[in-house]
Amino acid sequence: MVKVIQVGLGHWGFDWAQSVIPTVESVDMVAYVDGAAEARDRVATMLGVEEGRLYASLDAALEATDADLVLATLRTEAHHPVVRQALLAGKHVIVEKPFTTTIAEARELVDLAAERGLVLMVSQNYRHYPAPLMAADLIARQALGHVSLVGIEFRQHAPTIGYRYWDFPDPLLADMSIHHFDLMRMVLKDEPRAVSCRTWNLPGSPFANHPVGVATVEFSGGTIVSYRGSWMSGGASTAWAGEWTIDCDGGEIWFTSRGHGHERFARDSVVLRPRDKPAERLALPDVPHFDRAGTLAAAAEAVATGRTPPGFSSGADNIRSLALMQASILSTQRGGDWVRIDEVLPDPPPI
Ligand SMILES: NC(=O)c1ccc[n+]([C@@H]2O[C@H](COP(=O)([O-])OP(=O)(O)OC[C@H]3O[C@@H](n4cnc5c(N)ncnc54)[C@H](O)[C@@H]3O)[C@@H](O)[C@H]2O)c1
């Protein structure tokens, strides 16, 4: 059993504690931390966590317990100080996406974890679903040949689905597209070279900043990804991972992943359309732990055995997804000009 301290029991952190952590048998929760008494009280009253496992600071929890792993479920600006403190205390870490606010912060944490031989994982929960894992495998095996063009559509209507981050500086690119950018790298097993991006707001939208955008991403292997995302779509919603059309020499791979609520898992689908043959919907493999349970189980496995299961997203790997996100934001600020990834991440750490 891997002994875990969870830090951050706000809206999303509470959901981790309530619906994710209890499903991962390999972890033993030794402490729950939040600076706000109200957040600690909610965990005590609604989840029955005893007073002895609740702490107001990570310092106090580190002092009182002998944990292996710190799970940081905090807002992005709090990730760097908390993860740094955990690594300096010799603890392995799993942290919510997006990894950090800046590349420099991420780099410092990646280097610190490497120096100390500690696991540092970013919880990119969309990786832990059968459809993107299968699409990645089909592409790696060149099942339909070389990939030239990928189209990704993401549509949701934030005002009617309980969205709450209206003031985020980059609600599409930093809060949502980071999942899609990270999946692009995992599915294509390729690294982006440059991106051109535009984002915008709509008249009367509740967002303070830009909830809609388009991006063109050029990958090192020559594949071009055309991405369109909207938090303010009046059309039919896509699943959270979006709808992917992957155009190959010998046909098309189509997939979608991560439904809503009870449909989370069931909506995953992969369709293979070889040229001149009928389309075939593929049977998907079972994934024992999916979504955030998948990331937590993967982190626990890495800590316990040193093995990194499929979909594992180390800090060193994830800094490249963060760089694509930062380059997209920069491109937007420059009116859609192409931004090379090496402008924001000139010297990527080894994966
Ligand atoms: N992966 C996903 O699909 C997904 C979905 C929603 C949210 N998120 C992420 O979850 C994160 C958290 O969002 P939220 O809605 O829970 O935020 P929130 O503001 O509701 O909660 C943050 C909590 O952290 C506590 N906190 C802050 N600094 C602390 C510190 N140093 N020590 C202890 N406690 C501290 C606050 O008191 C608060 O209770 C965000 O980064 C968001 O991107 C991810």
Side-chain angles (χ1 to χ4, degrees), residues 7-13 33-36 39 42 56-58 73-76 78-79 82 96-98 123 125-126 164-165 168 175 179 258 292:
V7 191
L9 307 171
H11 171 79
W12 195 239
V33 180
D34 199 294
R42 192 172 39 189
S57 72
L58 177 57
T73 50
L74 301 143
R75 293 225 178 180
T76 314
H79 289 178
V82 167
E96 257 295 346
K97 52 52 70 175
S123 178
N125 46 320
Y126 288 30
R164 48 201 302 281
Y165 307 108
F168 271 12
D175 187 34
H179 288 293
R258 197 175 191 260
R292 286 170 287 161

Side-chain angles (χ1 to χ4, degrees), residues 271-281:
V271 178
L272 210 59
R273 294 193 181 102
R275 193 154 29 89
D276 303 331
K277 285 195 193 143
E280 182 192 359
R281 187 173 168 179

Side-chain angles (χ1 to χ4, degrees), residues 153-236:
E153 300 276 344
F154 166 76
R155 291 183 304 272
Q156 286 285 338
H157 187 247
T160 50
I161 55 164
Y163 185 83
R164 48 201 302 281
Y165 307 108
W166 305 111
D167 295 331
F168 271 12
D170 297 289
L172 180 71
L173 298 177
D175 187 34
M176 192 62 229
S177 311
I178 182 66
H179 288 293
H180 305 130
F181 291 149
D182 182 65
L183 279 184
M184 288 175 201
R185 293 184 48 250
M186 184 190 94
V187 168
L188 296 174
K189 282 201 180 61
D190 196 1
E191 295 299 338
R193 191 157 47 198
V195 59
S196 161
C197 183
R198 292 291 301 270
T199 57
W200 63 94
N201 205 347
L202 273 63
S205 126
F207 283 91
N209 295 298
H210 294 180
V212 190
V214 295
T216 307
V217 187
E218 182 193 336
F219 276 77
S220 303
T223 303
I224 302 276
V225 177
S226 175
Y227 173 77
R228 301 200 289 182
S230 177
W231 270 129
M232 287 296 295
S233 174

Side-chain angles (χ1 to χ4, degrees), residues 43 54 62 67 76 94 120 139 142 181 195 204 228 234 245 263 285-286 296 303 324 332:
V43 169
L54 289 167
L62 288 168
T76 314
I94 172 170
L120 170 57
I139 290 170
Q142 298 231 324
F181 291 149
V195 59
R228 301 200 289 182
T245 306
E263 270 206 317
D286 191 28
L296 182 57
V303 168
L324 175 54
T332 299

